[in-house]
Amino acid sequence: MIQIHDKHFVPFISAEDIDAVLTKMALKAEEDHKGEIPVFIGVLNGSFMVVSDFVKKYTQPCEVSFVKLSSYEGTTSTNQVKQLIGLNQSLEGRSVVVIEDIVDTGNTVAELKKIFEGHNVKQLKIATLFFKPEAYKQDIALDYVGFEIPNKFIVGYGLDYDELGRNLPEVYQVQQ
Ligand code: IMP
Ligand code: MG
């Protein structure tokens, strides 16, 4: 068991299991992108480890890039607009695969989809290492899902609890 800030966490998914699932995801992505060069776009901060390990298992030519989603407040605090930071290439006509660490309510995925559709991409696919189906509120299909997990908080492998825990090589689940 480990402690981060005020919470205790128990081991949940090992580094070996993550590795195995990323191999499967990369293979599936390879089959889906035969004869083209996809652009893999990681969403920072959480996805840095997923992207790093995923692309090492992708054996065909690909591009790799990262973006950050920032929310700045509009005229009222409820009027939040998400903005994409760091995209410095044209995605027109490209097959884009957005790589997320975790999809929870799906709000982030919905924002990303809206933004990338504005870039005239050829095709947009969503990859996520973790997916919480019980929390998901969107009807956007997820193309590559590593693990479907219960609606409990997890840390490690890029995921943080109040900025700590990202460096853990395996994943821990909050103890309740
Ligand atoms: P969304 O609700 O799908 O938009 O997810 C929003 C963000 O919440 C994710 O990108 C993560 O940064 C964070 N998040 C959701 N669930 C967890 C979790 O279990 N552990 C750590 N971060 C999480
Ligand atoms: Mg976080």
Side-chain angles (χ1 to χ4, degrees), residues 15-128:
E16 291 73 26
D17 288 351
I18 293 170
D19 194 73
V21 104
L22 287 176
T23 302
K24 282 192 211 158
M25 289 168 76
L27 248 174
K28 189 169 172 229
E30 254 184 59
E31 279 162 16
D32 290 349
H33 295 89
K34 288 214 170 97
E36 60 180 354
I37 300 178
V39 189
F40 293 118
I41 301 185
V43 185
L44 293 172
N45 292 334
S47 76
F48 70 101
M49 280 202 197
V50 186
V51 174
S52 171
D53 289 339
F54 174 90
V55 298
K56 280 182 269 183
K57 296 172 183 305
Y58 193 88
T59 66
Q60 298 301 308
C62 63
E63 293 180 24
V64 185
S65 192
F66 287 93
V67 295
K68 206 161 182 168
L69 254 194
S70 84
S71 52
Y72 66 89
E73 308 213 328
T75 47
T76 67
S77 58
T78 49
N79 184 17
Q80 284 212 336
V81 187
K82 296 273 187 186
Q83 212 186 13
L84 204 59
I85 304 172
L87 190 67
N88 53 11
Q89 70 190 102
S90 168
L91 296 177
E92 192 164 346
R94 302 297 303 271
S95 288
V96 172
V97 181
V98 169
I99 303 182
E100 276 275 23
D101 46 354
I102 189 164
V103 173
D104 183 32
T105 64
N107 291 342
T108 308
V109 157
E111 294 287 349
L112 288 165
K113 191 160 190 263
K114 207 161 52 183
I115 293 169
F116 282 108
E117 277 168 354
H119 285 266
N120 296 319
V121 300
K122 175 182 165 195
Q123 186 187 57
L124 178 71
K125 290 190 184 283
I126 313 281
T128 186

Side-chain angles (χ1 to χ4, degrees), residues 160 162-163 166:
D160 73 301
D162 212 359
E163 295 309 326
R166 293 194 197 277

